Amino acid sequence: MKSETIYEIMLSVLAGEATGDEHRLLNEWLARSEANKREFEQMSKLYRSFEVVGKQDDSEFDVGLAWMKVRSQTVDKKRKKKQFDLKRWLSYAALVAVLFTVGFYFMDRPAEREWIAGSDVLENINQPTLLLDNGEQIPLKQDSFSIQQGNTKIRNNLVGQLSYESDKKPSSGEEKQSWNHLMIPKGNAYELELADGTHVWLNAESELSYPTRFTGETREVRLRGEAFFDVAKNPDCPFVVRTDDVAVRVLGTSFNVSAYRSEQTASVTLVGGSVAVKANKGEEFRIVPSEQFCYDKNSRKSGIQVVDTELYTSWTKGEYVFKNATLDEIFNKLLHWYDFSVRYQNEQLKNKHFSLVVDRRISLEQLLELISFTSDVQLEQNQGNIIIVKQKGGEVR
């Protein structure tokens, strides 16, 4: 849906003049993401503030000019069979006039851009898939290709690499920014090179939304899941990674972001350089190499700790490295790669500690055998992909 269209529908709903179809379209748009809900809340607050201003003093804005703009965007454009009451729409006209002046600020800022894919798309694909901004879905493991999208060439090969190459021509201020959406299902990973030369490794059950060509004063992308970024340096244009809870701002560095919706904690692990991290619009933290920023979604508390970065970046090399990790922590990581659920014979078994290296090419059956053979825990898999965790000998030690 075009931003102008949803903009009109929101204002129509707020003014009490929306049709049944408009209410349906707005509800569908709101259900797509939390960002859309926040967008509508901001618009509602702004609308109410203008409604009060309109009632107090109608002379502060040019009603005739504003109303002409309202008509051009609603009645004349849509040819709706409605009757508009001018007094009732004074605040609506004022709001439209202001939003025209700022250039649809709320709709066009990249930080609040809606997700292109629906919430169920990732669950219904079985291989890495590229979603273009026109809605076309391109499976990436079926064939190599090279396509042109605007001033950018998109290339894909069969070894798990997708790349964007800009023609380097200076962009005009009127050039429309085109966004793509890369979706990686369970049991997969993919490498991506953005148009600015930044390399991204996207982990299983993850999504990245990004422009095909960066314009403006920042380079912004949006992440759900986990990704490792090796950012191309550009002191004049910061690189920003946004998740549902955390925003990371850098000029050029290497770091890992883990922001799965299914997990209680979001984290940023720095390998090289320096980054600024802010969670839930709170205090900004700066971290240095070997430090990890953690944000607890439930308590909304943030903190920094020193870590072994290999434990959080080894997945980019096709393996998971665990050092003194609990069985519960290990399974939570592997759930993004293998399809299973866990049932513990005794809850205390969750806290059993292990150190191991898991090659992601081995099967789940081989992994269970490895853990069972080298420990006092017995892992059994039934036909429903449920792993039963038992204590050898019958007692938890």
Side-chain angles (χ1 to χ4, degrees):
M1 187 185 305
K2 293 181 179 180
S3 60
E4 293 88 350
T5 302
I6 190 63
Y7 163 81
E8 293 169 12
I9 291 175
M10 280 196 287
L11 290 180
S12 187
V13 169
L14 290 171
E17 294 288 343
T19 65
D21 284 341
E22 286 174 328
H23 278 287
R24 177 182 58 80
L25 289 171
L26 177 61
N27 289 333
E28 290 175 354
W29 184 77
L30 291 173
R32 290 178 189 171
S33 70
E34 291 300 318
N36 289 352
K37 294 178 182 178
R38 292 193 296 269
E39 194 89 56
F40 183 62
E41 289 174 2
Q42 290 174 324
M43 185 66 76
S44 299
K45 291 178 182 178
L46 187 57
Y47 179 86
R48 288 194 295 270
S49 69
F50 269 86
E51 192 170 39
V52 173
V53 171
K55 290 177 180 179
Q56 292 176 342
D57 187 357
D58 294 343
S59 64
E60 293 187 5
F61 56 88
D62 187 338
V63 176
L65 177 60
W67 178 241
M68 290 290 288
K69 291 178 178 178
V70 172
R71 287 189 59 86
S72 68
Q73 289 296 313
T74 54
V75 183
D76 294 339
K77 184 175 180 179
K78 296 288 186 180
R79 298 297 182 187
K80 295 176 183 176
K81 296 181 179 179
K82 298 180 183 178
Q83 294 297 323
F84 289 80
D85 182 85
L86 182 58
K87 291 182 180 180
R88 192 174 177 180
W89 278 70
L90 286 177
S91 58
Y92 177 50
L95 178 59
V96 171
V98 169
L99 290 179
F100 266 86
T101 302
V102 300
F104 295 105
Y105 170 75
F106 288 114
M107 289 302 170
D108 286 341
R109 55 179 176 167
E112 298 296 332
R113 185 177 181 82
E114 67 178 90
W115 284 96
I116 302 171
S119 59
D120 61 339
V121 175
L122 186 60
E123 300 174 0
N124 295 324
I125 61 176
N126 56 16
Q127 66 173 295
T129 301
L130 176 65
L131 182 62
L132 304 181
D133 64 351
N134 62 4
E136 180 183 359
Q137 291 187 28
I138 305 177
L140 298 180
K141 284 194 173 181
Q142 291 183 355
D143 196 10
S144 59
F145 62 79
S146 177
I147 59 177
Q148 191 76 26
Q149 189 174 36
N151 293 322
T152 303
K153 183 169 290 185
I154 307 173
R155 291 189 175 93
N156 180 65
N157 61 38
L158 295 182
V159 295
Q161 296 173 328
L162 182 70
S163 65
Y164 289 73
E165 182 181 345
S166 173
D167 61 9
K168 306 299 183 183
K169 292 180 180 178
S171 59
S172 65
E174 299 179 356
E175 179 185 356
K176 179 183 177 182
Q177 195 174 48
S178 179
W179 284 66
N180 282 185
H181 192 84
L182 182 57
M183 301 172 289
I184 312 299
K186 185 189 293 286
N188 289 264
Y190 224 76
E191 182 180 348
L192 167 68
E193 182 180 357
L194 298 173
D196 68 334
T198 292
H199 282 262
V200 184
W201 287 260
L202 205 57
N203 205 355
E205 293 191 308
S206 300
E207 305 171 66
L208 188 73
S209 198
Y210 52 92
T212 58
R213 175 186 181 132
F214 290 104
T215 60
E217 297 179 352
T218 60
R219 298 169 286 166
E220 296 194 7
V221 301
R222 182 103 186 200
L223 171 70
R224 284 180 183 164
E226 184 170 25
F228 182 84
F229 295 86
D230 187 4
V231 178
K233 291 184 179 180
N234 186 344
D236 298 322
C237 191
F239 191 93
V240 179
V241 180
R242 295 189 183 273
T243 74
D244 290 334
D245 302 289
V246 174
V248 186
R249 185 177 182 272
V250 303
L251 297 177
T253 187
S254 301
F255 60 97
N256 191 82
V257 180
S258 182
Y260 285 105
R261 282 188 158 186
S262 60
E263 297 181 0
Q264 178 180 330
T265 303
S267 66
V268 179
T269 307
L270 185 59
V271 175
S274 176
V275 303
V277 190
K278 182 182 292 188
N280 201 28
K281 299 181 180 180
E283 178 186 357
E284 183 176 273
F285 292 79
R286 289 188 177 273
I287 59 176
V288 298
S290 296
E291 286 188 338
Q292 182 184 71
F293 169 88
C294 293
Y295 173 71
D296 189 297
K297 301 175 187 177
N298 291 338
S299 66
R300 295 190 175 184
K301 292 183 178 180
S302 303
I304 297 175
Q305 60 182 348
V306 177
V307 298
D308 181 350
T309 59
E310 182 186 20
L311 304 182
Y312 302 92
T313 62
S314 59
W315 65 266
T316 64
K317 301 174 183 178
E319 62 185 19
Y320 281 113
V321 178
F322 299 101
K323 292 182 181 178
N324 200 33
T326 66
L327 193 57
D328 192 46
E329 291 171 340
I330 293 172
F331 280 143
N332 284 337
K333 282 292 183 183
L334 298 178
L335 273 169
H336 299 300
W337 195 253
Y338 302 101
D339 188 15
F340 66 92
S341 58
V342 184
R343 184 179 301 163
Y344 292 91
Q345 187 182 54
N346 188 310
E347 288 295 306
Q348 295 181 42
L349 292 172
K350 289 183 176 182
N351 298 318
K352 283 281 186 177
H353 287 257
F354 295 86
S355 295
L356 68 155
V357 178
V358 179
D359 188 323
R360 298 201 308 187
R361 292 172 296 183
I362 70 172
S363 67
L364 179 59
E365 292 76 14
Q366 291 173 313
L367 173 60
L368 300 182
E369 290 177 3
L370 173 65
I371 296 177
S372 297
F373 182 75
T374 59
S375 71
D376 60 353
V377 172
Q378 182 64 40
L379 306 180
E380 300 176 357
Q381 183 179 13
N382 66 16
Q383 294 181 348
N385 276 345
I386 299 176
I387 297 175
I388 310 298
V389 183
K390 300 179 179 180
Q391 176 68 50
K392 291 179 182 178
E395 295 183 3
V396 179
R397 297 191 293 274

